[in-house]
Amino acid sequence: MRKISVLGSTGSVGTQSLDVIEKLGLGVAALTANKSVDLLEKQARKFNPEIVGVYDEESAGILKKRLADTDIKVLSGMDGLIAAAEVESADTVITAVMGMIGLKPTMAAIRRKKRIGLANKETLVCAGRLVMAEAKKYGAEIVPVDSEHSAIFQSAAAGNKKDIKKILLTASGGPFRGKTYDEIKNMPKEAALKHPNWSMGQKITIDSASMMNKGLEFIEAMHLFSVRPRQIEVLVHPQSIIHSAVVFEDNSVIAQMGVPDMRIPIQYAITYPERTPSPASELDFTAMKPLTFEKPDLEAFPSLALAMEIAGRDDASCAVMNGANEAAVALYLQDKISFGEMYDAVKEAVDALGSMRADTIDDILSADSEARKFIFERYN
Ligand code: MG
């Protein structure tokens, strides 16, 4: 039986991944989480993995006691996450960990030639050049889980990579679509947390409201499909039915469509190139609302413009932007800065920290922590 490891199994994509794995009748080799002991215990008892990695040491101790009646190995810290990523019996590792702690485990799984079901944004945003080079060197497949990148991956399969003219990266536009910058800048978090189409974690929902999420996805797409920034066009498509598309040299446009349900791209990352029945419902073309498309408003959503500009620089610049943004989102969620100040803070960090070394994963991690420190010192 095929076995899958799920890093970040207690989050939104992680729990949906386990649903998919269960429905496919596959096994689980390893699970990891930051510190959600209760849910992790439930998952471990249900799926009986070899290893459970808990990043937080204290939580790991608690879980170890609770699972003492089982054969499951409970490991802690970064070493625990890396051991989970490397488990021999798994052929695929879904990286649904949130944040920079996903970077080293993902690299470890790549070096073990696992298929990576990539759901950790930071991996490609902050270390895209290093990670893609490593995947090529070890022959590890990276199959994206994010709905847009899965759509591009599926569409790109209709032709040769070298014949891709352009990528159409679709965006729902988030809850503030159609509003001006002045209307948006003081929006409270309660409004920003209401996403029209997708149910996701808080950080990514705020990033969707500012469209920074699309900016991060822009950088990911550039690395995954080896295209230049000018070959990616962001297209606002509020209905989230077309999940993205590829334009080939002959101007044929191949798009992937479906109901907005993450179980489709998660399952595809596991079964690729096969396709099997899914619990997600089928699209009903005659029942759906008209599909509409518009250009993104880069004045109302300056974070998107910033990310598109930073994309062409080095990994460290992308890591600074990403780290600063994560810190700014945290401060916004604590009501310490306004919605508009999130962009101001990130821009300041990018300008102040400039270009840093980006030769190793540790370089990337230090660019990230410098950026966070910068934001917390100024705005906290
Ligand atoms: Mg997405």
Side-chain angles (χ1 to χ4, degrees):
M1 183 177 53
R2 275 188 69 192
K3 283 191 178 177
I4 317 291
S5 293
V6 182
L7 312 185
S9 63
T10 56
S12 166
V13 171
T15 50
Q16 293 183 79
S17 297
L18 288 175
D19 280 351
V20 169
I21 291 167
E22 187 183 9
K23 294 213 168 69
L24 290 171
L26 303 177
V28 172
L31 297 172
T32 79
N34 186 20
K35 58 178 180 187
S36 313
V37 171
D38 291 343
L39 182 52
L40 208 44
E41 183 190 357
K42 240 188 241 167
Q43 292 178 340
R45 290 194 182 279
K46 182 167 178 186
F47 292 98
N48 196 31
E50 290 160 46
I51 291 183
V52 175
V54 190
Y55 187 64
D56 179 65
E57 303 279 346
E58 200 188 320
S59 308
I62 297 169
L63 188 65
K64 197 170 184 166
K65 274 186 207 139
R66 289 210 206 157
L67 291 176
D69 61 319
T70 70
D71 297 332
I72 301 166
K73 238 195 256 174
V74 178
L75 302 173
S76 66
M78 182 52 74
D79 289 346
L81 303 195
I82 291 174
E86 289 179 335
V87 173
E88 189 71 42
S89 61
D91 62 45
T92 298
V93 177
I94 297 186
T95 60
V97 183
M98 266 193 329
M100 296 299 282
I101 61 166
L103 220 50
K104 284 185 172 174
T106 305
M107 285 297 248
I110 287 172
R111 291 182 185 129
R112 294 293 171 116
K113 302 182 169 57
K114 311 279 190 200
R115 174 186 292 178
I116 308 296
L118 187 78
N120 172 266
K121 282 226 153 79
E122 288 74 10
T123 304
L124 288 183
V125 169
C126 303
R129 289 159 185 89
L130 292 174
V131 169
M132 294 307 286
E134 206 76 344
K136 197 171 170 190
K137 182 174 161 193
Y138 288 89
E141 272 176 320
I142 298 184
V143 185
V145 164
D146 203 353
S147 60
E148 293 82 354
H149 303 88
S150 176
I152 299 163
F153 187 89
Q154 294 180 55
S155 303
N160 292 321
K161 222 172 178 180
K162 68 171 179 47
D163 299 328
I164 294 176
K165 179 178 166 187
K166 196 161 93 172
I167 283 170
L168 301 176
L169 179 66
T170 56
S172 70
F176 303 152
R177 184 179 61 88
K179 295 196 185 331
T180 64
Y181 176 76
D182 284 333
E183 290 168 329
I184 297 169
K185 68 181 183 199
N186 291 316
M187 281 289 188
K189 65 182 180 211
E190 291 72 22
L193 285 171
K194 276 189 197 125
H195 195 277
N197 301 341
W198 298 97
S199 123
M200 306 173 290
Q202 282 204 334
K203 153 77 171 49
I204 184 173
T205 305
I206 298 300
D207 281 347
S208 297
S210 67
M211 291 195 79
M212 176 55 99
N213 183 54
K214 206 50 56 181
L216 301 177
E217 290 182 356
F218 185 100
I219 298 170
E220 285 186 279
M222 181 185 82
H223 292 305
L224 266 173
F225 305 103
S226 334
V227 295
R228 295 171 196 285
R230 60 178 158 77
Q231 288 175 279
I232 306 175
E233 185 181 328
V234 175
L235 194 59
V236 175
H237 165 47
Q239 299 80 23
S240 296
I241 295 296
I242 293 182
H243 298 307
S244 280
V246 169
V247 184
F248 286 98
E249 288 294 353
D250 61 356
N251 287 335
S252 246
V253 184
I254 309 288
Q256 188 263 346
M257 295 183 238
V259 292
D261 186 324
M262 282 306 290
R263 290 174 300 182
I264 298 175
I266 290 169
Q267 177 170 308
Y268 186 72
I270 295 171
T271 64
Y272 162 79
E274 309 286 323
R275 293 182 186 268
T276 58
S278 162
S281 52
E282 192 186 320
L283 259 190
D284 182 349
F285 279 87
T286 54
M288 72 190 175
K289 290 186 204 142
L291 302 187
T292 61
F293 304 91
E294 51 200 69
K295 281 192 187 337
D297 182 346
L298 297 179
E299 276 171 35
F301 301 98
S303 299
L304 173 59
L306 178 66
M308 288 165 65
E309 187 207 319
I310 302 292
R313 299 193 200 166
D314 55 330
D315 281 350
S317 301
C318 296
V320 165
M321 183 189 72
N322 178 75
N325 177 61
E326 205 173 311
V329 171
L331 293 177
Y332 172 65
L333 285 170
Q334 294 164 35
D335 299 312
K336 286 184 176 160
I337 61 174
S338 69
F339 193 84
E341 279 169 336
M342 286 194 290
Y343 165 79
D344 300 339
V346 174
K347 177 84 169 80
E348 269 176 54
V350 166
D351 290 343
L353 295 174
S355 201
M356 299 170 76
R357 283 176 63 102
D359 299 333
T360 65
I361 290 293
D362 285 320
D363 291 341
I364 300 295
L365 292 173
S366 68
D368 170 76
S369 64
E370 285 296 315
R372 285 165 203 268
K373 211 169 82 192
F374 181 90
I375 299 294
F376 286 123
E377 276 171 6
R378 291 198 160 214
Y379 287 90
N380 200 4

